[in-house]
Amino acid sequence: MPTAFITGATAGIGAAFARRLASDGFDLVLLARDTARLDETAAGLRDRYRVRAETLTADLATEEGLAAAEERVRKDVDLLVNNAGFGNRGVFLDVPVSDELTMLKVHCEAVLRLTHAVLPGMLERGRGGVVNVSSVAAFATRGTYGASKSWVVGFSQGVAADIAARSGGRVRVMALCPGFVHTEFHERARMDMSDVPGFMWLDKDAVVDAGLRDLRRGARVSVPGVQYKAIVGLTRLVPQGLVARLSSKRGRRYD
């Protein structure tokens, strides 16, 4: 069976990837910080889908956690999903610089290092894929969060181009850019999302379906949902100053 390695695997989009890939017959390696929750998630997937579900407790904001994740992804991983991430409570200057640096460690350094660690084996075997979970915030001004997700998009596109010829298109790298999704993300950041209309919310399983479909067809950037495809298209036409004013207000209130 093929093996998928998923970071941030116990909640939200990461958990949705785990369920979908298990249902597709993938064995799993699940990474998160909470051992008890990891074990519970893995046991549920094993029982329901009859797949192997290995766990790795690691904090990707630490050197020890990153090194452990790098070591594991070098071993026969067919699909890497770099999903781990978080939002800080508050806007720039209201957030301690140490928290901003932690965000860059998880959103950027971890994505770079795990992608770098997994690709040689995929290229040697002649198959594989990497999904780096970004956000539509990558296309607008959202402080450090948006900047880090913009980096994920640019990085994924660049690496995809670098390996295209070497793999004959059989190894793929893609940035997945969802909009608002009902997960624990906003609750953990204590964000007040009451001003976001219902039609702007995406279902996490639909996001995963769209992402895997786009990966199979060789897309380098996937934006699930027609509403968000339209928004991303408009950001290329609307003056950047206006985009910045609109994006800095929507969904940016904190409890």
Side-chain angles (χ1 to χ4, degrees):
M1 288 185 178
T3 298
F5 185 107
I6 306 166
T7 70
T10 58
I13 293 173
F17 264 109
R19 290 191 299 272
R20 167 60 190 274
L21 292 169
S23 72
D24 287 347
F26 278 76
D27 286 332
L28 304 172
V29 183
L30 310 177
L31 180 149
R33 294 179 297 174
D34 187 330
T35 300
R37 197 172 185 185
L38 262 178
D39 290 344
E40 181 182 358
T41 299
L45 292 166
R46 291 188 203 106
D47 291 345
R48 181 172 181 180
Y49 299 106
R50 304 302 178 188
V51 297
R52 181 175 61 86
E54 175 186 341
T55 62
L56 175 59
T57 302
D59 184 351
L60 296 180
T62 68
E63 182 59 34
E64 180 183 25
L66 268 173
E70 283 178 303
E71 180 180 2
R72 181 58 187 86
V73 298
R74 292 190 179 103
K75 302 174 184 176
D76 299 326
V77 169
D78 300 285
L79 177 63
L80 168 63
V81 181
N82 278 314
N83 169 73
F86 63 95
N88 282 323
R89 182 176 179 268
V91 295
F92 193 66
L93 294 185
D94 293 338
V95 178
V97 71
S98 59
D99 292 350
E100 298 282 54
L101 290 171
T102 297
M103 176 174 283
L104 294 178
K105 185 92 171 177
V106 175
H107 289 186
C108 300
E109 183 178 344
V111 169
L112 185 153
R113 288 174 59 172
L114 295 187
T115 302
H116 190 275
V118 80
L119 281 176
M122 290 181 175
L123 290 169
E124 182 178 342
R125 294 188 295 274
R127 67 181 188 279
V130 177
V131 176
N132 293 324
V133 179
S134 179
S135 167
V136 292
F139 305 101
T141 302
R142 299 289 285 192
T144 303
Y145 180 84
S148 68
K149 293 303 187 179
S150 180
W151 181 89
V152 170
V153 172
F155 169 76
S156 301
Q157 290 176 305
V159 175
D162 286 345
I163 67 169
R166 294 177 61 183
S167 70
R170 292 184 294 275
V171 178
R172 297 167 179 174
V173 177
M174 185 189 79
L176 175 61
C177 303
F180 294 118
V181 183
H182 284 297
T183 68
E184 297 175 5
F185 176 91
H186 302 102
E187 181 181 348
R188 287 178 175 178
R190 295 176 63 187
M191 295 180 182
D192 179 1
M193 307 304 296
S194 60
D195 67 333
V196 178
F199 73 89
M200 294 295 290
W201 290 96
L202 299 174
D203 175 76
K204 51 185 172 291
D205 294 315
V207 167
V208 170
D209 290 345
L212 291 174
R213 182 171 59 249
D214 284 344
L215 182 69
R216 286 193 298 270
R217 69 180 183 84
R220 295 178 181 178
V221 178
S222 172
V223 180
V226 293
Q227 65 274 55
Y228 286 106
K229 287 180 171 63
I231 289 170
V232 170
L234 283 173
T235 62
R236 300 188 176 103
L237 303 174
V238 175
Q240 287 302 302
L242 177 58
V243 172
R245 288 195 298 274
L246 293 173
S247 65
S248 66
K249 295 177 182 178
R250 182 66 63 185
R252 294 294 292 279
R253 297 185 299 178
Y254 299 88
D255 297 331

